[in-house]
Amino acid sequence: MGVLQESAEWENGIYQIEQSDVVRGGDPQSGGVANWQAQQLANRTKYLYNNFNKRKAVTIKQVLANIQLTLPDIVDKDVVLDIASSGKTITVNTSGIIDGIIISFTALGANRNAAKIETGLPIEVTPDDEFKTDLWIHGGESFSAAYYGGKLYMISGNIHLENIGQVLYGYTPQSFCLPANGTIVNRADFPRLWMLVSKYANIVTDTQWLSGNGLNSGYFSSGNGTSTFRLPDLRGLFIRGLDAGRGIDLDRNSATFKDGSFQTDAIKKHKHQLDDIHPYGGFADVGGGFDGGGNNFKWRKNETFELGSYETRPQNIALTPYIRF
């Protein structure tokens, strides 16, 4: 009894046995159609076994400036990035890459510095493909991607590409988050956050952000206009759903109000019934008049005592606000 000769190669397609085929056993390369599919699948299995189970070499690349990598630098290797300086680009020459090749990158977590990985290939990473051509990796993150049919497909890792810009609250510092406290930060240090907020959020100049007694402090600012930007300051504030024309927040329901728009405190308009006419002699002489019927009376104009606190508020718990980057 013979056995199939397995070859560690990735078969791009599995043959479909047709009705017109003569079902014949034996060597698939010599007309044994019945064994052709099994041969192709065996080849794939051996290829995957070799690539997933063998111990890959580890290569460490320090990123102080822009660097270039070739296929020999990444094939069958776990590339460890020591990103010593943010904003640098790692260009990967993928010329000659074949289907089934897996590339892996891990960024050391000593800091949160970010580097851009350019492969010259579209990368299928998130459902909305925000990072199809601009993939940034921060210290502490890793990912693996498989090449197939002209694209790279993310298959594993802990790269945080979802929910960037999301506001979180916590008792402890939140992972891959910045405190939402109005701080100026470098665009190169947090490129993913700047990339998305500059595309979707309402950005004001830093002069506008700092003016108006905090009326613009819920927005991101453009910082110095080139290399920095400012975070919103959410400290001490509640979050309210943007009205966006629904008509509940009547003071802020036009299209001119964007995510991050500030609103001062207020009390809803209302009236009180006041009957405060007193017979003459009952109070200090602070003015008087006649009611038309000949009866003398006095007006009382005393102020009420102050009651309450510094603001109108519901019961609440204070937690530190953070923004995902």
Side-chain angles (χ1 to χ4, degrees), residues 231-299:
L231 302 172
D233 192 350
L234 306 183
R235 294 172 298 173
L237 298 172
F238 295 103
I239 302 297
R240 181 178 186 177
L242 187 67
D243 189 279
R246 185 181 182 186
I248 294 176
D249 188 357
L250 295 176
D251 291 325
R252 190 173 51 178
N253 71 337
S254 72
T256 59
F257 291 101
K258 306 294 184 181
D259 291 320
S261 60
F262 180 86
Q263 189 177 54
T264 59
D265 54 354
I267 297 176
K268 187 174 181 178
K269 295 178 180 179
H270 63 283
K271 296 180 179 180
H272 293 277
Q273 181 69 35
L274 179 62
D275 296 315
D276 200 19
I277 299 175
H278 299 274
Y280 177 80
F283 295 93
D285 187 2
V286 291
F290 297 93
D291 62 7
N295 296 319
N296 195 11
F297 65 91
K298 293 292 181 180
W299 294 304

Side-chain angles (χ1 to χ4, degrees), residues 188-205:
D189 290 334
F190 306 100
R192 297 189 308 217
L193 179 59
W194 174 247
M195 174 181 167
L196 290 194
V197 298
S198 61
K199 180 178 180 180
Y200 293 110
N202 186 55
I203 306 293
V204 299
T205 67

Side-chain angles (χ1 to χ4, degrees), residues 31-288:
V33 175
N35 289 321
W36 199 348
Q37 291 178 328
Q39 177 73 76
Q40 292 175 312
L41 292 172
N43 290 348
R44 279 191 177 186
T45 301
K46 188 172 180 64
Y47 174 86
L48 292 173
Y49 177 84
N50 287 353
N51 281 275
F52 281 96
N53 287 279
K54 69 183 179 183
R55 188 177 185 86
K56 291 185 176 181
V58 174
T59 178
I60 299 178
K61 300 290 184 180
Q62 189 174 50
V63 184
L64 284 167
N66 297 338
I67 63 173
Q68 294 189 358
L69 303 178
T70 61
L71 280 186
D73 293 319
I74 62 173
V75 174
D76 294 333
K77 295 181 176 68
D78 285 320
V79 181
V80 177
L81 302 173
D82 180 5
I83 307 174
S85 180
S86 282
K88 308 307 179 185
T89 299
I90 302 165
T91 303
V92 182
N93 182 354
T94 56
S95 177
I97 193 170
I98 61 175
D99 287 348
I101 290 292
I102 296 173
I103 63 174
S104 300
F105 289 91
T106 298
L108 295 177
N111 52 57
R112 288 289 185 261
N113 289 341
K116 182 180 180 182
I117 297 177
E118 288 188 344
T119 64
L121 299 169
I123 305 174
E124 301 293 331
V125 284
T126 59
D128 48 11
D129 288 333
E130 292 292 353
F131 303 97
K132 182 181 287 290
T133 57
D134 294 303
L135 180 61
W136 291 87
I137 184 171
H138 281 269
E141 295 181 325
S142 64
F143 77 91
S144 294
Y147 175 80
Y148 185 78
K151 295 182 179 180
L152 284 170
Y153 294 87
M154 197 77 69
I155 57 175
S156 65
N158 70 333
I159 191 165
H160 299 77
L161 299 178
E162 299 286 352
N163 305 320
I164 293 171
Q166 178 183 10
V167 175
L168 304 173
Y169 293 84
Y171 287 93
T172 60
Q174 301 297 292
S175 179
F176 291 89
C177 289
L178 291 167
N181 58 7
T183 300
I184 283 275
V185 296
N186 291 319
R187 299 181 188 185
D189 290 334
F190 306 100
R192 297 189 308 217
L193 179 59
W194 174 247
M195 174 181 167
L196 290 194
V197 298
S198 61
K199 180 178 180 180
Y200 293 110
N202 186 55
I203 306 293
V204 299
T205 67
D206 208 52
T207 299
Q208 291 173 320
W209 197 99
L210 294 169
S211 65
N213 294 320
L215 292 180
N216 290 315
S217 62
Y219 296 125
F220 289 87
S221 93
S222 55
N224 63 9
T226 55
S227 62
T228 66
F229 68 103
R230 189 184 294 273
L231 302 172
D233 192 350
L234 306 183
R235 294 172 298 173
L237 298 172
F238 295 103
I239 302 297
R240 181 178 186 177
L242 187 67
D243 189 279
R246 185 181 182 186
I248 294 176
D249 188 357
L250 295 176
D251 291 325
R252 190 173 51 178
N253 71 337
S254 72
T256 59
F257 291 101
K258 306 294 184 181
D259 291 320
S261 60
F262 180 86
Q263 189 177 54
T264 59
D265 54 354
I267 297 176
K268 187 174 181 178
K269 295 178 180 179
H270 63 283
K271 296 180 179 180
H272 293 277
Q273 181 69 35
L274 179 62
D275 296 315
D276 200 19
I277 299 175
H278 299 274
Y280 177 80
F283 295 93
D285 187 2
V286 291

